[in-house]
Amino acid sequence: LPMDAPFPAVGGVTGTELAAAEEHVEAAEGDDRAFAAYAYAALKRLGVEWRPTVAQCVEARQRTSHGYRQMAVVWTLRSLMGPLIEGMLVVDRALYLRRHCGPGGGVRAFALFDAVT
């Protein structure tokens, strides 16, 4: 699947599984069809036996579609502010250790992981 697909293959759902789920959602079109196929594939992957109808998938997508813009705002703020706040916490903890390690104690802080956004 291309990365710009409306519901990219994430969380263990592969493109093959999405293609197999397409046969169950022939009645839907566009984003409704893509979401229904994703829901079928994800539920199957999780081992859940219940399968929603296409109408239930369409209704769920329509009920939650207003939240996408809000989620984008929250995700953007988290991406921008997260590294700053994490850095402040590391510096605070390093200063605490430096103060309480006794004379001659040194503290070094370094990144173990790259930020993934």
Side-chain angles (χ1 to χ4, degrees), residues 4 19-20 26 40 45-46 50 52 55 57 59 62 71 75-76 78 83 86 90 93 98 103 107 109 112-113 116-117:
D4 61 345
E26 292 177 358
Y40 273 79
R45 178 78 159 162
L46 292 171
W50 175 77
C57 289
E59 180 186 348
Q62 289 172 349
M71 183 59 79
W75 185 260
T76 301
R78 191 215 63 82
E86 291 170 13
V90 168
R93 295 296 84 201
R98 183 183 229 182
V107 176
L112 291 176
F113 304 102
V116 177
T117 56

Side-chain angles (χ1 to χ4, degrees), residues 49-60:
E49 293 188 24
W50 175 77
R51 299 289 185 268
T53 64
V54 172
Q56 288 171 321
C57 289
V58 169
E59 180 186 348

